[in-house]
Amino acid sequence: MKRAANPHRWPALLLALFLAPAAVAGELRSPEHPDPAAFDPAMRAAVAEARGQLQDAAGWARLGSLYLLVHANAAAADALHNAATLEPREFRWPYLEGIALHRAGQAAAARHAWQSALTRDPNYAPLRLRLARSALEAGHTDAAQDFLADARATATGQELAGEIALARGQVKEAVTAFTRALELAPQANWLHVRLAVAYGKAGDKQKAREHLKARGTRRPEISDPVLEAVSAARPRDVASFLEEAHAALSRNHRYSALLAFQAAVRMDPRSVPALLGIAGLSLGAGRKAEALGYLQRALEIEPGSAEAHFYAGLIQESNGAAARAESHYVRALPRESARYRLARLLLRLGRAAEALPHLEVLTAEKSATAVRFYWLGLAHLAMGNCAGAAAALDAAHARDANSGEVIAARVRVHSSCAPLDGPARARLLAQAQRLYQARPDAGDAETLAMALAAAGEFDKALRYQQQALAATAPEAPQRPFLAANLARYARGETAIAPYEKDSLRLRPPADQYSSPPAP
């Protein structure tokens, strides 16, 4: 049977060296209360309520626990000291007081509080682990060893046993303890650092190097029900759940974010940000119908929500419901991403004249990307405006000279309806050749054929155009266009200007709106 730790068995000398007499609980303290303006609304309300109920130990303990949660450690320590004074048999209050003092950098005062807790309950393992570490940090390895007692069964206990052994120069024992700790907590890769130190002191450089390579920053965790109960009692409101969700998203923990958004909706079914968060995560996971349901709920509550309309537009567009998508995008304006998706949708529907003003707005900013100018160029092409198309695609190329799609569109424009002369034409042909070498498919063979024809190399243009035609399916809508250009090259003529739907056969460059955005 496992023997319970008994503090009275420790030598009196060790206690005298390490445990100075604990402060006698007598007078209540007056905490210096922190400014509640820094708290979230739920915490602010809970603190105000707790400050009005300080008639007994439970009231002070509640206030101290709340202050502990917001890291107001000095005020937490005073409140928990008062709880310990009013309830002298309860070990939790001086234990938590010690944690607050330790966090505040008052190591000696923390030890005194923990001593008081130990006399009230000598069997709480997390308390003995904290006392053992505190004794070790103070240089009292014998006291640390005694405090550790039966707490060795945990990874933290084994880690401390290893530290004590290292401090005593017992290298072999340290290696054994750290190894056992790592077995108990394989995720605690910080233990590799301690093993590297131990093996280094033992003279085993090979083992030391191996553990250094595996090192990390995760330490063994103490399972502490008392402290966990404090965290679990944290007052929550919708804002705190939303903050938790966005923090989880920033770490790419999507399931944790979903749970937090769902908790916010349970607390307030009309929380539009929470409904949108769930919709965004559902859409990102491919659950379009589920996402649309949450978006409809959000729009019933807030009909003018641009974000809800944008998400709904994405779903309707992917479902092939172009008219519904257009309606949502229009209602999401002037949101930038909605304007972009609307412009692309209008282009796809053959309504380039309506898309053009939106693309002009998107390209008017100094930060406008190559992708935006690319689509502006295609809109001009679809309207038969060669000069506008050439200017836009030149601007796209100036912003991204490595985009294959931008290069292909620019080569086609300048090889057909906005020809270049001399060195500029030679550079354009060289770009088309490099593009084809990088990705020799039908589309880029067709682009190279256009550039060769513009340079007067019709025999070569014929060869590449034939290659593009041979790689194109018989039922493909672009075959007549390819065949017509093949005939033109045979006659020594340059390519047909790629107007209207034919210009939209070019592959669109990747951009930040190609996939559903995070909520």
Side-chain angles (χ1 to χ4, degrees), residues 4 7 67 102 171 239 275 302 386 390 408 410 489:
Y67 282 160
H102 190 266
V171 177
L275 291 168
E302 190 178 319
C386 285
R410 183 169 177 266
Y489 301 156

Side-chain angles (χ1 to χ4, degrees), residues 18-41:
F18 177 65
L19 292 176
V24 177
E27 296 184 1
L28 299 184
R29 298 174 183 169
S30 297
E32 185 175 339
H33 298 285
D35 182 3
F39 306 156
D40 63 56

Side-chain angles (χ1 to χ4, degrees), residues 304-331:
S305 170
E307 189 170 4
H309 280 295
F310 175 67
Y311 278 115
L314 286 179
I315 294 172
Q316 298 291 7
E317 186 178 3
S318 68
N319 286 342
R324 292 181 181 179
E326 180 183 349
S327 175
H328 282 298
Y329 290 148
V330 168
R331 297 189 68 181

Side-chain angles (χ1 to χ4, degrees), residues 40 42 232 234-249 256-268 271 273-274:
D40 63 56
R234 183 184 185 97
R236 303 299 299 269
D237 61 2
V238 171
S240 68
F241 281 118
L242 292 175
E243 182 180 350
E244 179 183 324
H246 287 291
L249 280 175
S256 298
L258 177 62
L259 293 178
F261 281 133
Q262 289 172 336
V265 169
R266 285 194 298 272
M267 183 170 285
D268 179 9
S271 172

